[in-house]
Amino acid sequence: MKNYLNFETDIKNLETEIEKLKDPYNQDGLSEVDTKKISESQQEIDDKLKEIYSNLDPWQTTLVARHEDRPKAKFFIDNLFQDFIPLSGDRFYGEDKAVLAGFAKFNEKSILVIGQEKGDSLETRIERNFGMMRPEGYRKTIRLMKLANKFNIPIISFIDTPGAYPGVGAEERGQAEAIAKSIECCMTLNVPTFAIVIGEGGSGGAIALASSNKVIMFENAIYSVISPEGCATILWRDPKRTLDAAKAMKLSAKNLLDLKVIDEIIPEPTGGAHRDKDLILNNVRKSIEKNLNEFLNMSGEEVLNHRKNKFLTIGRNKGFVSQLDDLSSLSMKKSKINIFIENFFNNKRQLIFFSFFVLMFLSFIYFL
């Protein structure tokens, strides 16, 4: 059964009509299928989809990113990679089923794949905790990322989460510390890392795995520090002002590409990724191939500096630094006061050592 969003009512009616036209055993008895009418209705659906999806507002984009039928991380892992070996546990507490992680092959090359998985049915969504990771999930990915770094294996992450799990148990086990450690680990790796936001990229739960050399987004995905509902509740104390919040947050892929927060947009089929999963699968495959080849001949140090420079340049204008190409050695400029203080203490230290040696020499002469 297909699921429709509230602005897709016309599409729903037309597709329901097509299903009736395709059924020869309708309420009028056995009849001939009207192929011409079906073709006209399908063309009308295509036109409607183009019209609607070419003018989505930020809140509608958010709803598309959360669509129940949207392909999840497990779909991409199963269909893009070969010989996937899932690995479990953080070696501290337990297993977190909100994240799938393991080693696999992509075009005969070893890859570490990490995927935040929401689940595709009520049972699996509950089992996967709706894609909200706990501390043990982040600690598991840290363990595997360090292992991949040791053996020089690139890392690909599929991001799809409303945020890290905010439950009492998660906080007691160090949720904030686990997220911070995950970000730190991502930023210190010497292997190429790629994060693909396939649905929701929510808060620190997403950034913990998306601090990568390349951050890539699906056309109708979102990436933000908080949900539009949460933002509206905090700013206006009105959770219904989700459209205003979504506009202000600039959470769409196009906005984030303009701000240079992300590096690439993967185009989706008209009507969203769920309407043509083969096409979106092919688009993701091409993107991964292109980005892996880009880092093929880079050394570990060059990969690390590329990642540093990417995040150091976000939000900077030309006036802040003279060169934006290489900020990996960025340091604070010392003021004249700091230089004077350092010289004063250095000279004072030298004077003390000199006085000490003079005193020792005079003492030696005296006792002789």
Side-chain angles (χ1 to χ4, degrees), residues 339 341-351:
I339 293 171
I341 291 171
E342 285 183 7
N343 290 336
F344 173 78
F345 280 105
N346 286 335
N347 293 334
K348 190 174 180 181
R349 193 178 297 114
Q350 292 171 6
L351 183 62

Side-chain angles (χ1 to χ4, degrees), residues 18 52 101 107 121-122 148 158 203 215 227 242 249 268 285 303 350:
I18 284 182
I52 292 170
N107 291 346
S121 65
L122 180 59
F158 291 96
S203 190
V215 180
S227 68
T242 50
M249 291 162 64
E268 294 186 25
R285 182 181 289 108
V303 170
Q350 292 171 6

Side-chain angles (χ1 to χ4, degrees), residues 56 69 78 95 118 177 205 245 279:
L56 290 178
D69 299 333
D78 290 342
E95 167 65 351
K118 286 183 174 180
E177 184 267 350
L279 178 58

Side-chain angles (χ1 to χ4, degrees), residues 39 165 194 205 239 262 282 285 312 319 327 346 356:
S39 299
Y165 184 60
F194 312 100
I262 66 168
N282 189 47
R285 182 181 289 108
L312 286 169
L327 298 175
N346 286 335
F356 175 75

Side-chain angles (χ1 to χ4, degrees), residues 4 10 73 88 123 145 203 254 257 273 367:
Y4 296 90
D10 293 342
S88 305
E123 291 77 14
M145 285 191 288
S203 190
K254 185 179 179 181
L257 185 65
F367 285 112

